[in-house]
Amino acid sequence: MNLLNLKGKSFLISGVANKKSIAYFVAQSLCESGAHIYLTVQNEQVLSKVEKLFPDVPCFIVDVENEEQVTQLGPALESQGIQLDGFLHSMAFANYSQGIKPFHETKLADYVQANTISCFSLTSMSHSIKNVLKENSSVVTMSISNTRATSYGYMGPIKASLDATVAFLAKSFSEFSRVRFNAVCAGPLKTTASAGIPGYIDNYLFAEKLTLRKEALHTQEVANTVLFLLSSMSSGINASGIVVDAGMSCNYFDQDVVKTVAKDL
């Protein structure tokens, strides 16, 4: 990662929950590159787990459903003299306790909660830390490869909203800074969070057959794209979403898959 010139730079990472999360891979890679990282976690329970993964890294408890905690994040960083070269927003949640239902049956409370955590938190956290983001810093969020094709219930529309939010934050911040906002739009991954989505394993296996290399996407591959966007090497990219799906998006009519389905019709 020396090419990305990350040594000595400082980054805020949200969403580290376990060793399978995208945020963990990014945080670990940044540490190996000699960067300084700071983490946000949801609560004390998560904090105890994350401290075992990164024992010497400062952690801040920020429940994004708690407006006061979000508001206090920026001043807390500023009081410690922390200036950031970048911020990774990597968090998402949807209530699937009743399984995946048709979109028109979405409950308002579930949608509002999922949107607050998965989408609006990018806006609220970015606003909170705006005074500690350096002039040319980079903000990256995690989206999905195709929001309209997803079978994750109402999370698809929320991720579509997140994609739009990236562009509008980029325009908004451009009025007073050169901070960039981008999204990494990843194909299906083998993470602990995704395993909680009903039917996800079948979708994951199907997606693997659609990749051009016939091999599933690796979390480190997604993390590498995040690292690139966090670095100054991506200075010309702003208000964009980079799809990382091993070619799946151009291969929906893979002939092997088509034949497999067609023979059972």
Side-chain angles (χ1 to χ4, degrees):
M1 296 298 173
N2 292 335
L3 177 65
L4 299 180
N5 192 28
L6 298 169
K7 185 176 181 179
K9 295 189 175 181
S10 299
F11 299 93
L12 179 67
I13 311 293
S14 72
V16 173
N18 51 66
K19 287 188 175 182
K20 291 185 178 181
S21 64
I22 297 170
Y24 171 81
F25 277 79
V26 173
Q28 184 66 26
S29 295
L30 285 172
C31 288
E32 292 172 356
S33 298
H36 306 293
I37 65 169
Y38 306 89
L39 306 175
T40 72
V41 296
Q42 182 183 10
N43 51 43
E44 292 283 353
Q45 183 179 2
V46 179
L47 176 63
S48 63
K49 296 179 181 179
V50 171
E51 284 180 332
K52 294 177 182 178
L53 298 176
F54 297 99
D56 300 319
V57 173
C59 293
F60 299 85
I61 294 179
V62 182
D63 180 347
V64 294
E65 293 185 89
N66 185 318
E67 186 175 358
E68 183 177 0
Q69 288 186 12
V70 175
T71 301
Q72 291 175 347
L73 175 61
L77 293 167
E78 193 168 13
S79 68
Q80 296 185 27
I82 297 171
Q83 291 290 305
L84 300 172
D85 293 282
F87 165 45
L88 171 62
H89 172 270
S90 182
M91 60 179 74
F93 174 82
N95 181 7
Y96 293 123
S97 61
Q98 296 181 334
I100 301 290
K101 291 189 173 184
F103 180 60
H104 64 271
E105 295 182 15
T106 303
K107 295 180 179 179
L108 176 61
D110 288 342
Y111 191 89
V112 169
Q113 181 186 35
N115 184 73
T116 298
I117 297 172
S118 310
C119 179
F120 186 73
S121 60
L122 174 62
T123 299
S124 59
M125 293 184 75
S126 297
H127 175 63
S128 178
I129 66 173
K130 66 181 185 300
N131 291 332
V132 296
L133 286 170
K134 294 180 182 178
E135 178 70 8
N136 292 293
S137 57
S138 172
V139 176
V140 180
T141 190
M142 297 308 309
S143 187
I144 52 182
S145 56
N146 189 327
T147 58
R148 290 176 294 178
T150 178
S151 60
Y152 307 154
Y154 57 89
M155 185 54 78
I158 288 174
K159 286 292 189 178
S161 179
L162 178 66
D163 290 346
T165 296
V166 165
F168 283 95
L169 281 172
K171 291 197 287 184
S172 180
F173 268 65
S174 71
E175 296 179 4
F176 60 87
S177 75
R178 294 169 63 93
V179 177
R180 298 179 292 114
F181 287 81
N182 292 291
V184 173
C185 307
L189 293 168
K190 191 180 293 185
T191 64
T192 301
S194 60
I197 301 173
Y200 184 84
I201 298 301
D202 288 343
N203 290 334
Y204 175 84
L205 295 173
F206 175 69
E208 182 171 43
K209 295 299 182 182
L210 291 182
T211 64
L212 294 175
R213 66 191 186 189
K214 309 304 179 189
E215 179 186 334
L217 192 64
H218 300 294
T219 306
Q220 185 63 60
E221 293 176 312
V222 177
N224 289 344
T225 307
V226 173
L227 294 170
F228 166 69
L229 287 175
L230 287 175
S231 78
S232 59
M233 292 290 288
S234 62
S235 60
I237 303 174
N238 196 8
S240 299
I242 296 182
V243 175
V244 185
D245 67 357
M248 182 183 70
S249 56
C250 79
N251 200 36
Y252 290 142
F253 287 93
D254 181 272
Q255 287 304 292
D256 289 339
V257 175
V258 170
K259 290 176 182 177
T260 299
V261 174
K263 72 178 182 180
D264 293 326
L265 294 179

